[in-house]
């Protein structure tokens, strides 16, 4: 049993000696502070010149050096022999007392746990005692925004006119929560977030001092994960070093931090340029099966596309906060990606990110977004004049054509509309038709409606003149196919959605109507009032022609009638209700007389 005592003692000794990197490599001078050169230069000049304010406010995100700079500044203020650069000498009694944490001139207060009026009053009493060693008493109040309003008011008078030997240094991450009266009495220093390059360089120096090997891409992942905080970066660095056992590699870091490999983003963009939708869907399934959220994938892909866009122009290339290897990869992919593709992809992903939280089928939303991105560079299915609507293009067109059954039935050839006119040209067809009608295949609507696309309202004596559309469906002139009420309803709603802007009011009313088949192919629709009837009478010709074309039946007729409204019954008053009840039941009148009741 006694043989294990030395081993346990050595183990405890090693555990006690370990210090996390965020504390071990905490800056002790202004020159060792990373990423805040402008602020540290200002503070050093204040120490050299002796022009010190009575209150300072250090604000900025977490882990960027606010409290650290406050301690260095307090140490330099009380140094008995500061250097010419404004740094503390580190050898005098004041510096030694500060290093050994026994200084009576520097006080630190955590306002998160000492935020009451009593704590501030106790602090104010300490300001009356002059320093025994050094020039100033420095009070560092961290997370000062946590003070209550009463505590702020108690602190206000002392902050405005403190004793000559007192200096306050306030630190906060939420500057907007501090009272304006406090802000106006302080010199405000805004600390910046750490850039990825500064974080990588600092992690390199720490790794070299610790004897840890690394890959620069792995350190770049740690820097991006830290999101501008050096303390967070050092904490993640310790975690990665422990997982990698002294050899920090890119693959091990993304595995340890559960970060999506950036290679997936490069593959998605490469596949999108060449319209490989199926491969993108397989890759998306693999990513989701690894436990990654679809929303995070879209956000990461948007950031990736933004970096590719920045890499296209040498002027914006410095905006990339990535490693040198990643910058080269972005430049290579930027040469292959057209700029309109990147703009459109960013727009689609931004819209997906907005709708992701409200979506009930989040995976489907992500899949549709990736499909649309993959179709940006795909040629349009049906070229026409004007702007094509936002829609999904036909995917796997060759597979669809191959899967269609071959038939010996005569085919009707219909030419596509020319760019200058919405009419269709009809080629000669055989007059024979199959003996039995076959179900119609779903037909994609043209992006430009025949009846509504070129409609122009011309007022002539209060009447609207519309085109007759007599020649718009010559290709279907001999095509009188049957249709079901469900198909009629679908085509009716589709027609309403394609109506032009100046007919939006009529289209909204028509969406609430249900056309019925009275005697095939005669149709009837019930209109809610006479005003709607007059508006629909003006465009009845276009409605009929559109239905003929979309339902492939030239014998369609449409009749409209105004709905019959039943006359509502008048609501009786309370007296009339009582009189009716008394008339129907005479016992009610006797009861009223017995109790001598009056109707209120």
């Amino acid at each position: 049993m006694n043989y294990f005592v030395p081993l346990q003692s050595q183990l405890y000794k090693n555990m006690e000696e370990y210090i996390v990197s965020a504390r071990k490599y905490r800056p002790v001078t202004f020159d060792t502070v990373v990423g805040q050169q402008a602020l540290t230069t200002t503070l050093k000049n204040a120490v050299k010149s002796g022009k010190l304010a009575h209150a300072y406010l250090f604000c900025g995100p977490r882990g960027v050096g606010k409290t650290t700079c406050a301690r260095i500044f307090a140490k330099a203020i009380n140094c008995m022999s500061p250097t010419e650069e404004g740094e503390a000498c580190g050898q005098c009694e004041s510096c030694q007392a500060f290093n050994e944490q026994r200084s009576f001139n520097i006080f630190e207060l955590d306002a998160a746990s000492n935020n009451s009026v009593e704590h501030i009053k106790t602090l104010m009493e300490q300001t009356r005692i002059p320093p025994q060693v050094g020039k100033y008493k420095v009070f560092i109040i961290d997370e000062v925004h946590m003070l209550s309003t009463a505590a702020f008011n108690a602190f206000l008078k002392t902050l405005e006119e403190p004793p000559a030997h007192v200096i306050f240094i306030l630190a906060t991450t939420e500057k907007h929560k501090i009272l304006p009266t406090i802000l106006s009495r302080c010199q405000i220093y805004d600390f910046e977030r750490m850039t990825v390059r500064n974080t990588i360089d600092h992690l390199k120096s720490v790794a070299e001092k610790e004897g840890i090997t690394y890959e620069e891409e792995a350190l770049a992942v740690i820097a991006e994960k830290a999101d501008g905080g050096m303390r967070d970066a050092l904490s993640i660095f310790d975690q990665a070093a422990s997982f990698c056992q002294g050899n920090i590699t890119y693959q091990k870091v993304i595995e340890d931090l559960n970060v999506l490999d950036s290679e997936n983003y490069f593959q998605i963009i490469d596949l999108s340029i060449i319209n490989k939708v199926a491969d993108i869907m397989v890759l998306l399934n693999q990513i989701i099966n690894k436990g990654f959220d679809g929303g995070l994938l879209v956000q990461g892909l948007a950031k990736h596309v933004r970096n590719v866009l920045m890499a296209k122009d040498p002027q914006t290339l410095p905006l990339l906060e990535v490693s040198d290897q990643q910058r080269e990869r972005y430049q290579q992919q930027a040469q292959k990606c057209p700029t309109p593709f990147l703009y459109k992809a960013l727009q689609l992903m931004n819209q997906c990110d907005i709708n992701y939280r409200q979506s009930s089928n989040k995976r489907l939303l992500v899949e549709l977004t990736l499909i649309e991105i993959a179709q940006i560079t795909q040629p349009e299915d049906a070229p026409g004049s004007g702007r094509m609507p936002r829609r999904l293009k036909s995917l796997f067109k060759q597979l669809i054509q191959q899967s269609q059954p071959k038939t010996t039935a005569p085919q009707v050839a219909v030419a596509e509309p020319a760019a200058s006119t919405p009419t269709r040209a009809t080629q000669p067809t055989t007059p024979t038709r199959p003996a039995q009608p076959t179900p119609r295949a779903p037909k994609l609507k043209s992006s430009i409606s025949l009846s509504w696309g070129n409609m122009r309202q011309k007022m002539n004596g209060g009447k609207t003149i519309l085109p007759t559309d007599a020649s718009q469906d010559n290709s279907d002139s001999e095509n009188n196919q049957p249709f079901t009420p469900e198909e009629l309803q679908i085509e009716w709603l589709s027609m309403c959605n394609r109506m032009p802007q100046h007919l939006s009011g009529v289209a909204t009313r028509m969406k609430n109507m249900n056309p019925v088949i009275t005697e095939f192919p005669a149709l009837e629709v019930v209109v809610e009032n006479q005003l709607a009837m007059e508006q629909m009478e003006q465009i009845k010709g276009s409605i009929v022609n559109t239905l003929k074309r979309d339902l492939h039946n030239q014998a369609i007729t449409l009749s409209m009638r105004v709905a019959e409204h039943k006359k509502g019954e008048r609501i009786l008053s309370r007296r009339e209700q009582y009189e009716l009840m008394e008339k129907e039941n005479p016992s009610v009148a006797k009861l009223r007389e017995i109790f001598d009741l009056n109707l209120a």
Side-chain angles (χ1 to χ4, degrees), residues 104 118 126 204 223 251 308 318 329 339 358 454 460 476:
F104 291 99
E118 290 73 15
Q126 296 180 1
K204 284 182 179 180
Q251 291 297 331
V308 175
R329 291 206 61 186
T339 302
Q358 290 80 16
N454 296 327
N460 184 11
D476 295 333

Side-chain angles (χ1 to χ4, degrees), residues 258-273:
N258 195 29
V259 176
L260 186 58
D261 190 356
S262 60
E263 183 64 27
N264 294 294
Y265 301 138
F266 284 102
Q267 290 183 15
I268 291 176
I269 297 303
D270 288 338
L271 294 173
S272 298
I273 296 175

